[in-house]
Amino acid sequence: MVRLASFLLFTFLITTSLSAEERKPNVIFILADDQGSVDAGCYGSDDLHTPHMDSLAVNGVRFTQFYSAAPVCSPSRAGALTGRWPVRAGVPSNCSSAKGGSGALPSSEITMAEMFKAAGYTTAHIGKWHIGYTEETMPLAQGFDYSVGHMGGCIDNYSHFFYWNGPNRHDLWRNGKEVHEDGRYFPQLMADEACAFIEKNQDKPFFIYYAMNTPHYPYQGEAKWLDHFKHVKYPRNLYAAFIASQDDRIGQLLAKLDKLDLRNDTIIVYQSDNGYSTEVRAHNGGGNSGPYRGAKFSMFEGGIRLPGIISWPGHLPEGEVRGQIAHACDWLPTLAELTGVELPQTHLDGRSQVDVIQDAEAKSPHADHPLHWQVGNGKNAAWAVRDGNWKLVANTRDTEESGNNAQVKLFLANIAEDPGETTNLVDQHPKIVARLTKLHRQEFGD
């Protein structure tokens, strides 16, 4: 009997060990909303409180040339979730914030959630959606097993009403059904939901798309942080308080992983969807693009060059920085390679960054694969191409707080020499302009 008991115990330990080795890592994709290019301590801001965001860089790899898929919400999200240029994914501009409204990520597109679900993951959308407001295009129809959040572009964080235009309308949904959580602070609701999902699914691989609505307007930082930043100049004080409130919730998420001993079993990706907002609803600013020109809505660097971090302690380098070019569309193939799941059977514009993440000297996958952006359709669409150090933008605006809001028809810069895009080299390099314009037309047509 003793020998039998020992044999059974040995078999159990071996089986447990193998299952632990075979289990795929969890994935949490954190997407900030309208966070400026340098608006975290690890990106150089010394007037913000971001210890938990910074801890992801301490325990991971931080990109200094990371680009979102678009300078505005919906296309940026569509690109990140599909690994395809937003125009190719069917989302050239912002989707409606009204139930049943126009514009959506087509159901034929394969999302990151669908990719992970096919590999046996349990999937959750928590937070903002803004890429479809019909039953066929909301999260449960796009690969998510669980969903809670708002379907439109923004909400008041306490009443959960959309106030941008009338009539005012409530926008909070759980698994496709409208729910009311009167007075519950939305960033805390998100953190509570995510922690509960992790607790419930801790014994199997999970994927969480944690799409924050912060620091998107309305700026509604907590009272303690508003008091903490009361001596900071307006509107930076309001923005800083909201960022700190956001960071607290990221800390809660990380604490839950640590408590359940899941931190080393979980890949965390962090990025912003576009640059900070200078809209009147955002008090005309508050964020910071640092040395870069432009902000939200702009094809200049400040609209699309943003925080981008990946962390997986014990498996990926920690506390390291990468200067190679990276793009939001790269996350899908990168995560597929890291987790060992199959890629969608479709054309992908993103390229795996695994080699770069593992080796600071690795060649960028975009060395031979130019980056493209476009918002809108037709000849007046704003677009940009980056090939090597050269970047050409067309039909864009400098949307910075103190910038000139006049439209720029065509602007060429060498980003390595002029990251602030201060000097237009269109007239000096007509052949480069012609070559980059041709690349754009080959990708999207006229």
Side-chain angles (χ1 to χ4, degrees):
M1 290 294 294
V2 173
R3 291 180 64 186
L4 177 61
S6 298
F7 174 76
L8 291 174
L9 176 61
F10 175 76
T11 302
F12 171 77
L13 291 174
I14 290 294
T15 303
T16 302
S17 175
L18 287 173
S19 62
E21 290 177 6
E22 292 170 357
R23 171 177 166 165
K24 295 183 182 300
N26 309 310
V27 177
I28 301 178
F29 181 15
I30 303 176
L31 186 64
D33 197 357
D34 292 6
Q35 183 173 350
S37 304
V38 299
D39 280 330
C42 60
Y43 278 92
S45 288
D46 58 7
D47 60 344
L48 299 176
H49 180 81
T50 60
H52 300 298
M53 295 181 220
D54 299 340
S55 74
L56 294 175
V58 171
N59 295 292
V61 174
R62 176 174 64 89
F63 286 93
T64 58
Q65 288 199 83
F66 177 82
Y67 289 97
S68 66
V72 66
C73 294
S74 299
S76 179
R77 290 155 200 278
L81 284 175
T82 65
R84 289 155 58 84
W85 308 138
V87 171
R88 200 189 308 281
V91 186
S93 55
N94 265 350
C95 301
S96 175
S97 289
K99 185 179 180 183
S102 62
L105 179 68
S107 57
S108 58
E109 291 294 317
I110 303 172
T111 68
M112 198 179 287
E114 289 171 307
M115 178 183 79
F116 282 116
K117 188 172 182 176
Y121 280 66
T122 303
T123 60
H125 151 259
I126 297 173
K128 175 174 173 175
W129 186 239
H130 203 196
I131 48 174
Y133 210 155
T134 64
E135 186 175 344
E136 298 78 18
T137 59
M138 287 165 68
L140 294 187
Q142 298 282 24
F144 291 96
D145 298 309
Y146 184 79
S147 169
V148 60
H150 60 99
M151 298 298 107
C154 59
I155 55 171
D156 175 86
N157 287 281
Y158 295 96
S159 70
H160 316 130
F161 269 74
F162 180 85
Y163 288 121
W164 189 7
N165 55 21
N168 297 334
R169 49 192 180 270
H170 181 260
D171 184 7
L172 184 61
W173 303 78
R174 180 178 283 109
N175 292 332
K177 298 184 182 300
E178 187 176 13
V179 294
H180 290 82
E181 299 279 358
D182 300 347
R184 195 171 169 197
Y185 191 48
F186 188 71
Q188 188 59 53
L189 184 154
M190 283 188 60
D192 291 344
E193 289 280 350
C195 289
F197 182 86
I198 292 170
E199 184 96 37
K200 181 179 179 180
N201 295 281
Q202 60 182 297
D203 295 324
K204 51 190 173 184
F206 59 77
F207 166 67
I208 300 177
Y209 173 48
Y210 194 76
M212 300 182 291
N213 69 324
T214 52
H216 192 291
Y217 59 78
Y219 293 165
Q220 293 175 312
E222 294 172 289
K224 68 174 184 178
W225 291 116
L226 289 168
D227 183 67
H228 179 85
F229 290 105
K230 64 184 178 183
H231 298 300
V232 175
K233 184 180 178 181
Y234 167 86
R236 182 70 169 175
N237 60 328
L238 302 180
Y239 180 90
F242 211 19
I243 282 279
S245 301
Q246 165 184 314
D247 189 78
D248 278 350
R249 273 69 198 185
I250 294 172
Q252 292 176 23
L253 204 60
L254 298 179
K256 172 59 72 172
L257 293 174
D258 289 337
K259 182 179 180 181
L260 298 176
D261 198 25
L262 291 175
R263 186 67 181 87
N264 288 7
D265 298 322
T266 305
I267 302 170
I268 299 178
V269 166
Y270 185 96
Q271 72 156 91
S272 176
D273 67 341
N274 46 249
Y276 77 96
S277 174
T278 56
E279 297 162 88
V280 65
R281 301 174 192 86
H283 301 263
N284 301 304
N288 189 0
S289 294
Y292 310 120
R293 182 180 182 182
K296 181 180 181 179
F297 300 116
S298 178
M299 289 293 180
F300 288 119
E301 294 286 276
I304 53 177
R305 184 165 172 170
L306 304 162
I309 304 169
I310 185 168
S311 174
W312 188 14
H315 303 271
L316 298 179
E318 299 180 38
E320 296 192 14
V321 177
R322 298 291 182 263
Q324 293 93 327
I325 297 171
H327 189 277
C329 288
D330 297 337
W331 290 131
L332 187 146
T334 299
L335 291 171
E337 183 173 347
L338 289 174
T339 58
V341 308
E342 289 188 17
L343 282 171
Q345 296 300 304
T346 187
H347 172 90
L348 295 178
D349 296 300
R351 297 292 185 269
S352 174
Q353 292 279 352
V354 170
D355 288 347
V356 170
I357 292 167
Q358 295 283 15
D359 181 3
E361 302 302 318
K363 179 181 177 181
S364 169
H366 293 293
D368 304 311
H369 183 68
L371 296 181
H372 292 270
W373 297 266
Q374 180 172 308
V375 174
N377 285 313
K379 292 184 177 180
N380 292 323
W383 57 268
V385 179
R386 179 160 179 189
D387 186 25
N389 291 328
W390 291 105
K391 181 186 170 193
L392 181 68
V393 302
N395 304 324
T396 197
R397 299 180 186 276
D398 181 348
T399 54
E400 278 183 291
E401 194 170 354
S402 58
N404 179 359
N405 204 35
Q407 188 179 68
V408 178
K409 296 298 292 183
L410 209 58
F411 192 102
L412 177 70
N414 184 305
I415 299 301
E417 298 175 358
D418 183 19
E421 294 166 297
T422 60
T423 305
N424 192 349
L425 302 177
V426 164
D427 293 336
Q428 290 95 314
H429 298 283
K431 290 184 179 180
I432 294 175
V433 171
R435 179 172 63 83
L436 297 183
T437 301
K438 182 179 179 181
L439 287 175
H440 165 71
R441 289 174 176 167
Q442 287 174 339
E443 201 74 9
F444 300 125
D446 294 332

